[in-house]
Amino acid sequence: FNMSMTNANFPMDAEGRTYHVGVKHGELANRIVTVGDPARAIILSRSLDGVDLENTPAKTIPANLFSLSSHRGFLTITGTYKGVPVSIVAIGMGISMMDFFVRECRAVVDGPMIIIRLGSCGSLSNAAVGDVCVPSGSYLVQRNVNYFADHDHSSDEEIDSSDKGTPYSFSKVFKADPEITRTLVKNLKAQLGENHIWSGINATADSFYSSQGRQDENFVDVNQTLFEELLKHEPNTMTLEMETFVLYHLAKTSTSAPLIRMNKSNGNGNSNGMENGSKKKKSNSIRAGACMMVFAQRITNDFITKEDIARVEPMVGKVIFDSLVELPLDSNDGLRPNADG
Ligand code: R1P
Ligand code: URA
């Protein structure tokens, strides 16, 4: 696409496409499923309306759907599910990719949004490989790089931790939208069975390795006791993965839905309707939830088989679409009419 960008603050090209995800107005639905793996996005897209399954080979995006592959590795697929517009966006891995995705998609969609992540994860609880976890909240686990600053690499000596803090730091928990979490748990239990669905808190790590407690003798990681520290920080810690915290955090910090701002504008150039004397509760323009399939059992060291992934992924995908179209775009806070139709 046209790579000439304007506006260094929020770069867009002449067509109004965002810099990294590459989407413009009209290409994304208000209801979005986001995944890491582009192959997962394509598998999910087979559940959308009007797909000719017989004549669509595996790994091929169904011809009746809108799709866009960006120069930075994002894949967007848009169609309808049971008649309701939905999008699937594959973002790759890590907290920056989630930040690009949420901000750039928010910029080109009007009105409230619901975003649900379908990810894979490691399990710190009894959830087994192939089970699905629905975190009602998430915190961020970051490697404290300063801790490692003056380490003498020529010796095996313990790092002197006197004023360097701890090797890993943990944020506060940010919550998922409770209505989305409830809906996902209800629908997942109905489809996959009570015993395979788990509730708890997720930890989003800034590495697959060090800050998820994986042992790697090629690096000084000081993470042997990380699992105990996670459970001490948050006893309900159930999963480890790499994006969900950013989704919950940005949903929580999203400003009031654009339509609210317009409706409540006082005509004095103050377009933030929440600062014009309204005593009503602020509502975020993005509501978020997540569920993740356990790929790695970190206590027993099991890893999921290809066959199990192929069985679970499309099933959970369908449950998410059913949940997405069941959820009202607006949380029922009475702030304004539903922007759906
Ligand atoms: C690591 O293997 C990746 O898997 C998990 C992690 O969050 C990380 O992105 O999620 P996805 O399967 O959605 O990518
Ligand atoms: N994704 C992660 O981030 N960690 C795991 O252990 C498995 C999937």
Side-chain angles (χ1 to χ4, degrees):
F1 66 100
N2 181 355
M3 276 298 293
S4 281
M5 296 282 155
T6 54
N7 185 0
N9 182 65
F10 198 97
M12 294 237 195
D13 76 359
E15 268 186 89
R17 294 190 178 280
T18 66
Y19 188 21
H20 310 89
V21 184
V23 283
K24 68 175 167 103
H25 260 104
E27 293 180 344
L28 271 177
N30 295 62
R31 291 176 168 85
I32 302 178
V33 182
T34 180
V35 300
D37 186 355
R40 187 179 309 148
I42 295 174
I43 288 167
L44 263 55
S45 73
R46 298 177 72 89
S47 298
L48 298 189
D49 295 339
V51 174
D52 180 357
L53 289 174
E54 261 172 41
N55 296 306
T56 307
K59 300 181 185 172
T60 304
I61 300 169
N64 65 311
L65 305 175
F66 168 85
S67 74
L68 180 79
S69 199
S70 92
H71 66 125
R72 289 291 194 169
F74 295 86
L75 172 65
T76 301
I77 302 173
T78 297
T80 60
Y81 182 81
K82 297 186 176 167
V84 178
V86 293
S87 292
I88 306 163
V89 184
I91 67 172
M93 295 177 277
I95 53 181
S96 306
M97 294 299 272
M98 183 59 89
D99 188 76
F100 282 125
F101 155 69
V102 175
R103 290 176 186 273
E104 294 188 19
C105 291
R106 175 65 282 180
V108 298
V109 172
D110 295 325
M113 297 171 74
I114 296 180
I115 305 178
I116 297 178
R117 164 166 155 78
L118 169 54
S120 65
C121 70
S123 163
L124 280 185
S125 71
N126 290 326
V129 292
D131 285 357
V132 178
C133 300
V134 187
S136 59
S138 181
Y139 61 93
L140 184 63
V141 180
Q142 283 170 297
R143 184 170 165 109
N144 169 17
V145 292
N146 288 342
Y147 180 93
F148 300 88
D150 299 322
H151 181 62
D152 174 5
H153 293 280
S154 63
S155 86
D156 277 345
E157 262 173 61
E158 284 273 300
I159 292 175
D160 171 18
S161 59
S162 36
D163 47 37
K164 296 170 173 172
T166 53
Y168 298 88
S169 66
F170 314 133
S171 79
K172 292 186 173 171
V173 172
F174 281 68
K175 291 192 180 122
D177 181 272
E179 188 185 12
I180 296 179
T181 303
R182 273 197 309 275
T183 306
L184 285 172
V185 169
K186 168 182 68 97
N187 292 341
L188 283 166
K189 283 186 171 171
Q191 198 59 44
L192 283 85
E194 294 259 340
N195 298 342
H196 295 291
I197 308 306
W198 300 77
S199 298
I201 299 297
N202 173 66
T204 292
D206 64 1
S207 166
F208 183 81
Y209 298 102
S210 65
S211 49
Q212 290 192 28
R214 290 190 160 91
Q215 301 304 303
D216 180 353
E217 62 190 19
N218 291 311
F219 296 91
V220 175
D221 287 330
V222 201
N223 63 352
Q224 288 80 1
T225 58
L226 186 74
F227 286 0
E228 290 99 276
E229 286 155 34
L230 295 174
L231 291 165
K232 201 170 150 201
H233 176 66
E234 175 47 63
N236 285 325
T237 302
M238 119 186 113
T239 45
L240 276 161
E241 50 78 83
M242 301 180 62
E243 298 84 13
T244 298
F245 172 82
V246 178
L247 176 59
Y248 290 3
H249 173 75
L250 288 178
K252 159 98 180 160
T253 55
S254 64
T255 48
S256 47
L259 286 179
I260 300 179
R261 286 186 229 145
M262 278 180 337
N263 290 347
K264 296 207 170 237
S265 170
N266 61 10
N268 293 333
N270 171 12
S271 62
N272 181 349
M274 292 306 131
E275 285 166 15
N276 62 4
S278 164
K279 292 220 171 74
K280 280 193 180 156
K281 208 179 90 210
K282 274 193 188 183
S283 102
N284 301 113
S285 75
I286 301 173
R287 294 204 288 152
C291 54
M292 32 221 148
M293 305 166 287
V294 176
F295 276 21
Q297 220 312 335
R298 299 300 308 282
I299 311 300
T300 63
N301 228 8
D302 286 338
F303 203 87
I304 196 169
T305 61
K306 270 189 165 175
E307 292 72 29
D308 265 348
I309 298 177
R311 179 181 58 81
V312 176
E313 222 165 38
M315 246 191 327
V316 179
K318 261 192 166 232
V319 172
I320 296 182
F321 289 130
D322 279 319
S323 306
L324 265 181
V325 304
E326 175 184 336
L327 286 158
L329 265 185
D330 252 337
S331 66
N332 297 309
D333 61 5
L335 266 177
R336 59 189 184 74
N338 197 319
D340 243 327

